[in-house]
Short mmCIF file of all heavy atoms in Angstrom, two decimals:
data_model
loop_
_atom_site.label_atom_id
_atom_site.label_comp_id
_atom_site.label_asym_id
_atom_site.label_seq_id
_atom_site.Cartn_x
_atom_site.Cartn_y
_atom_site.Cartn_z
N ASN T 67 -18.74 -19.98 46.63
CA ASN T 67 -17.54 -20.80 46.39
C ASN T 67 -16.62 -20.90 47.60
O ASN T 67 -15.89 -21.88 47.77
CB ASN T 67 -16.76 -20.26 45.18
CG ASN T 67 -16.17 -18.88 45.38
OD1 ASN T 67 -16.70 -18.08 46.16
ND2 ASN T 67 -15.13 -18.56 44.67
N LYS T 68 -16.63 -19.89 48.50
CA LYS T 68 -15.68 -19.91 49.62
C LYS T 68 -15.92 -21.09 50.53
O LYS T 68 -15.00 -21.50 51.25
CB LYS T 68 -15.73 -18.57 50.39
CG LYS T 68 -15.44 -17.35 49.56
CD LYS T 68 -14.15 -17.48 48.82
CE LYS T 68 -13.79 -16.20 47.97
NZ LYS T 68 -14.80 -15.75 47.04
N LYS T 71 -13.54 -23.86 49.80
CA LYS T 71 -12.18 -23.57 50.34
C LYS T 71 -12.19 -23.76 51.83
O LYS T 71 -11.25 -24.29 52.45
CB LYS T 71 -11.78 -22.14 50.01
CG LYS T 71 -11.67 -21.83 48.52
CD LYS T 71 -11.31 -20.38 48.31
CE LYS T 71 -11.05 -20.05 46.86
NZ LYS T 71 -10.59 -18.69 46.67
N ASN T 96 -17.84 -11.60 50.50
CA ASN T 96 -18.51 -12.88 50.66
C ASN T 96 -17.66 -13.83 51.49
O ASN T 96 -18.19 -14.65 52.25
CB ASN T 96 -18.77 -13.51 49.29
CG ASN T 96 -19.70 -12.71 48.41
OD1 ASN T 96 -20.75 -12.33 48.83
ND2 ASN T 96 -19.27 -12.44 47.17
N HIS T 97 -16.35 -13.75 51.23
CA HIS T 97 -15.41 -14.62 51.96
C HIS T 97 -15.49 -14.38 53.46
O HIS T 97 -15.50 -15.35 54.27
CB HIS T 97 -13.99 -14.39 51.44
CG HIS T 97 -12.93 -14.94 52.30
ND1 HIS T 97 -12.72 -16.29 52.40
CD2 HIS T 97 -12.05 -14.33 53.14
CE1 HIS T 97 -11.73 -16.54 53.25
NE2 HIS T 97 -11.33 -15.37 53.71
N GLY T 173 -9.80 -13.83 50.45
CA GLY T 173 -10.25 -14.77 49.41
C GLY T 173 -9.97 -16.25 49.70
O GLY T 173 -10.42 -17.11 49.02
N SER T 175 -7.32 -17.99 49.34
CA SER T 175 -6.63 -18.68 48.26
C SER T 175 -5.21 -19.13 48.70
O SER T 175 -4.20 -18.60 48.35
CB SER T 175 -6.51 -17.79 47.03
OG SER T 175 -7.80 -17.68 46.47
N ALA T 208 -16.22 -16.63 37.42
CA ALA T 208 -15.75 -15.32 37.89
C ALA T 208 -14.39 -15.48 38.63
O ALA T 208 -14.23 -16.43 39.35
CB ALA T 208 -16.75 -14.70 38.87
N VAL T 209 -13.47 -14.52 38.40
CA VAL T 209 -12.16 -14.62 39.02
C VAL T 209 -11.85 -13.40 39.84
O VAL T 209 -11.92 -12.26 39.35
CB VAL T 209 -11.05 -14.76 37.95
CG1 VAL T 209 -9.70 -14.96 38.57
CG2 VAL T 209 -11.34 -15.93 37.02
N GLY T 210 -11.56 -13.62 41.15
CA GLY T 210 -11.13 -12.53 42.04
C GLY T 210 -9.64 -12.71 42.30
O GLY T 210 -8.80 -12.24 41.55
N THR T 211 -9.33 -13.47 43.37
CA THR T 211 -7.91 -13.77 43.66
C THR T 211 -7.35 -14.85 42.78
O THR T 211 -6.12 -15.01 42.73
CB THR T 211 -7.74 -14.16 45.13
OG1 THR T 211 -8.51 -15.34 45.37
CG2 THR T 211 -8.21 -13.07 46.07
N GLY T 212 -8.19 -15.65 42.19
CA GLY T 212 -7.69 -16.70 41.23
C GLY T 212 -7.62 -18.09 41.81
O GLY T 212 -7.33 -19.03 41.11
N GLY T 213 -7.82 -18.24 43.12
CA GLY T 213 -7.70 -19.56 43.74
C GLY T 213 -8.69 -20.58 43.24
O GLY T 213 -8.32 -21.77 43.04
N THR T 214 -9.91 -20.13 42.99
CA THR T 214 -10.95 -21.06 42.46
C THR T 214 -10.51 -21.62 41.11
O THR T 214 -10.50 -22.84 40.86
CB THR T 214 -12.27 -20.28 42.30
OG1 THR T 214 -12.64 -19.85 43.65
CG2 THR T 214 -13.35 -21.14 41.77
N LEU T 215 -10.07 -20.68 40.23
CA LEU T 215 -9.64 -21.10 38.91
C LEU T 215 -8.40 -22.02 38.99
O LEU T 215 -8.27 -22.99 38.25
CB LEU T 215 -9.32 -19.87 38.07
CG LEU T 215 -9.41 -20.04 36.58
CD1 LEU T 215 -10.83 -20.42 36.18
CD2 LEU T 215 -8.98 -18.79 35.84
N ASP T 304 -25.02 -12.18 40.92
CA ASP T 304 -24.83 -10.97 41.73
C ASP T 304 -24.10 -9.89 40.92
O ASP T 304 -23.48 -10.19 39.90
CB ASP T 304 -24.02 -11.33 42.99
CG ASP T 304 -22.54 -11.39 42.72
OD1 ASP T 304 -22.09 -12.40 42.11
OD2 ASP T 304 -21.85 -10.43 42.98
N TYR T 307 -19.56 -10.24 41.20
CA TYR T 307 -18.83 -11.35 40.61
C TYR T 307 -19.57 -12.06 39.48
O TYR T 307 -19.18 -11.96 38.29
CB TYR T 307 -18.51 -12.40 41.69
CG TYR T 307 -17.46 -12.01 42.70
CD1 TYR T 307 -17.81 -11.46 43.92
CD2 TYR T 307 -16.10 -12.23 42.46
CE1 TYR T 307 -16.84 -11.09 44.88
CE2 TYR T 307 -15.15 -11.90 43.39
CZ TYR T 307 -15.53 -11.33 44.57
OH TYR T 307 -14.55 -10.98 45.49
N THR T 308 -20.60 -12.77 39.85
CA THR T 308 -21.17 -13.73 38.89
C THR T 308 -21.97 -13.04 37.77
O THR T 308 -22.05 -13.60 36.67
CB THR T 308 -22.10 -14.73 39.65
OG1 THR T 308 -22.96 -14.00 40.52
CG2 THR T 308 -21.25 -15.70 40.46
N THR T 334 -20.69 -19.03 41.38
CA THR T 334 -19.88 -19.07 42.57
C THR T 334 -20.51 -18.36 43.76
O THR T 334 -19.86 -18.13 44.79
CB THR T 334 -18.46 -18.43 42.25
OG1 THR T 334 -18.67 -17.21 41.55
CG2 THR T 334 -17.61 -19.36 41.45
N GLY T 335 -21.78 -17.93 43.61
CA GLY T 335 -22.49 -17.34 44.76
C GLY T 335 -22.49 -15.85 44.76
O GLY T 335 -22.59 -15.21 43.70
N GLY T 336 -22.44 -15.26 45.95
CA GLY T 336 -22.37 -13.79 46.06
C GLY T 336 -23.71 -13.06 46.08
O GLY T 336 -23.74 -11.82 46.09
C1 PLP I 9 -14.56 -14.86 46.00
C2 PLP I 9 -15.55 -15.00 44.92
C3 PLP I 9 -15.15 -15.35 43.60
C4 PLP I 9 -13.70 -15.45 43.19
O1 PLP I 9 -13.01 -16.50 43.75
P1 PLP I 9 -11.38 -16.45 43.70
O2 PLP I 9 -10.99 -17.80 44.18
O3 PLP I 9 -11.00 -15.33 44.69
O4 PLP I 9 -10.97 -16.14 42.34
C5 PLP I 9 -16.12 -15.54 42.67
N1 PLP I 9 -17.42 -15.39 42.97
C6 PLP I 9 -17.83 -15.03 44.20
C7 PLP I 9 -19.30 -14.85 44.42
C8 PLP I 9 -16.92 -14.85 45.20
O5 PLP I 9 -17.34 -14.50 46.44
#
Side-chain angles (χ1 to χ4, degrees):
N67 65 333
K68 301 308 180 306
K71 297 179 174 183
N96 296 310
H97 166 70
S175 291
V209 184
T211 60
T214 298
L215 204 63
D304 82 283
Y307 288 94
T308 48
T334 46

